[in-house]
Amino acid sequence: MGWLTWLQELGSDADGVAPGFQAQSMYLAVCVVLPVTVGLFVGFSLRLVERVLGVELGRGGH
Amino acid sequence: MPGDFVLGIESFPYLILFGLLIGGLGGFFGVGGGFLMVPMLNVAFGVPYNIAVGSDLGQMCGMSTAATVRHVRFGNIDFKLGVLMIAGTATGVEAGARVLEVLKHAGTLTIAGHETDAMSLVMSLVYVALLVFLGRAMIRESLRTIKRASGRVELASEAPASPVASRLRTMKLWPMVSLPASGIEAISLWVILSIGFATGFLSGMLGVGGGFIRMPALVYILGCPTVVAVGTDLFEIMFSSGFGVLTHSFKGNVNLVLVLALLIGTTVGAQLGASYTRKAGGPWVRFGFGCLAFVGVIMVVIKLWLKFTQG
């Protein structure tokens, strides 16, 4: 679970209530890149599954 | 204090299960589930509202990116409308996030001798109001549909626009823009920006997608065809949640372990939930959704009451 620890440590300074809080650039980047990357991966994977199997999967919410 | 919150890695599997449950419910009811995710994270895991909102926006960003990738091939997105609305949405998200920041730093309130933190109190009450509004609207609409269907009365495909919606649609306030993809000849840019601002504000402050406001606004105020409204709504949620997670990360409100767990859970859950929707009738699904919102209200009220009485 090394990557989980890494994610946790990355956000360990992210205490917005602490005085003089400044978010680290790596933390900011991962906050946006992580969901977008997972979203793109899932979206294209589901499209591939639909194309290969010739079925339309449920859309879900968003 | 909200800033003292630390989420242990040992909670990771439970958070995935939680994401699976909320994602499954969202997929089943055809909604994002943000309005349930944030208060339930607070109730079940004790996640402060600011962290729940920021992290839920991260989860929503991933889910809406995946949904837009799948939806874009249907060609139902009005990109011009989406891009124009982004200006209003971004401003709204920032305003909502700043209101949450003010609450985060507001400290504690003492009411009738009991001390509680201001953010929890205000956000819980706002969520109770939101869930009651959504649940009531959904139950009323579904019961009406069930009653009409049993009476064999043919339903109109779209309800007529209200006088206010018609007035906004025909308002001649410069600059006017045309939206050919939606079949709209001319509409004031300010109407588009206002819709974006209102939904963006809800997103930034409450961590919800805002589709329950944006969808009817696109259909009844702007006059978009429903299929275009669905596609454009997804596109808009992708940007509002993306901008939301960015601005909340600047404020230290995003927990990356929580985002990852929710992403894994909701991705799988949404697919499972959506596959079961096909086996259930539409109005009954919406009725169940309405009831679920009231279960959420009860849980938030109990948590608030316990916090208030036990400190």
Side-chain angles (χ1 to χ4, degrees):
Chain A
M1 299 289 248
W3 43 279
L4 271 184
T5 313
W6 179 74
L7 280 180
Q8 196 180 36
E9 283 172 2
L10 203 59
S12 60
D13 291 339
D15 178 1
V17 181
F21 166 73
Q22 285 286 310
Q24 291 180 8
S25 51
M26 181 60 101
Y27 167 74
L28 295 176
V30 175
C31 280
V32 178
V33 170
L34 177 74
V36 171
T37 308
V38 173
L40 288 174
F41 175 76
V42 170
F44 283 111
S45 300
L46 289 174
R47 274 179 70 164
L48 185 69
V49 168
E50 286 178 332
R51 191 176 297 172
V52 170
L53 299 180
V55 293
E56 192 181 334
L57 298 170
R59 303 267 182 85
H62 46 68
Chain B
M1 286 295 286
D4 297 335
F5 176 73
V6 176
L7 189 71
I9 290 178
E10 63 277 4
S11 307
F12 192 70
Y14 302 109
L15 288 165
I16 292 178
L17 285 177
F18 174 77
L20 195 75
L21 176 70
I22 300 287
L25 291 170
F28 185 77
F29 294 121
V31 294
F35 56 90
L36 276 176
M37 181 77 83
V38 174
M40 290 306 108
L41 274 174
N42 181 263
V43 169
F45 292 93
V47 180
Y49 275 107
N50 59 312
I51 306 284
V53 168
S55 306
D56 181 48
L57 284 169
Q59 175 272 136
M60 202 182 294
C61 176
M63 288 289 284
S64 57
T65 303
T68 307
V69 164
R70 296 181 65 199
H71 201 90
V72 77
R73 69 191 157 127
F74 298 112
N76 293 331
I77 300 173
D78 187 338
F79 285 103
K80 185 179 177 184
L81 172 61
V83 170
L84 287 174
M85 209 184 279
I86 283 172
T89 305
T91 315
V93 169
E94 188 56 41
R98 287 189 183 211
V99 169
L100 189 56
E101 275 301 284
V102 170
L103 288 172
K104 189 168 89 177
H105 293 97
T108 55
L109 287 173
T110 305
I111 301 171
H114 297 285
E115 206 172 70
T116 184
D117 72 284
M119 181 174 69
S120 287
L121 179 67
V122 174
M123 291 292 282
S124 297
L125 293 176
V126 170
Y127 260 106
V128 165
L130 178 71
L131 290 169
V132 166
F133 168 75
L134 284 176
R136 183 174 169 271
M138 201 61 89
I139 287 174
R140 278 184 67 177
E141 186 275 333
S142 59
L143 287 178
R144 205 178 299 146
T145 307
I146 291 164
K147 212 177 280 179
R148 281 187 197 169
S150 62
R152 306 251 180 251
V153 178
E154 202 169 311
L155 291 170
S157 58
E158 284 182 7
S162 69
V164 177
S166 301
R167 202 171 299 156
L168 284 170
R169 191 190 299 186
T170 53
M171 193 169 69
K172 304 284 180 207
L173 186 62
W174 189 87
M176 303 293 285
V177 290
S178 67
L179 303 165
S182 296
I184 299 166
E185 284 183 14
I187 188 140
S188 173
L189 179 63
W190 296 106
V191 176
I192 297 171
L193 292 177
S194 302
I195 294 169
F197 181 85
T199 51
F201 184 83
L202 289 175
S203 233
M205 186 183 169
L206 303 177
V208 295
F212 53 87
I213 289 188
R214 194 185 295 108
M215 271 294 290
L218 289 175
V219 174
Y220 299 126
I221 297 178
L222 296 192
C224 281
T226 307
V227 284
V228 177
V230 171
T232 310
D233 182 49
L234 273 178
F235 177 77
E236 202 61 25
I237 289 174
M238 188 176 72
F239 275 94
S240 64
S241 55
F243 183 74
V245 74
L246 181 67
T247 187
H248 274 288
S249 63
F250 271 104
K251 297 166 179 70
N253 293 339
V254 182
N255 185 302
L256 289 166
V257 176
L258 181 55
V259 172
L260 186 63
L262 295 181
L263 267 173
I264 295 170
T266 51
T267 303
V268 179
Q271 285 305 313
L272 292 174
S275 62
Y276 280 99
T277 308
R278 295 172 185 184
K279 296 172 186 168
W284 286 109
V285 168
R286 294 198 293 278
F287 180 79
F289 167 89
C291 295
L292 192 70
F294 280 101
V295 172
V297 168
I298 293 166
M299 290 175 79
V300 172
V301 169
I302 289 173
K303 166 94 185 205
L304 190 62
W305 178 254
L306 289 175
K307 200 169 183 182
F308 196 66
T309 52
Q310 295 172 1

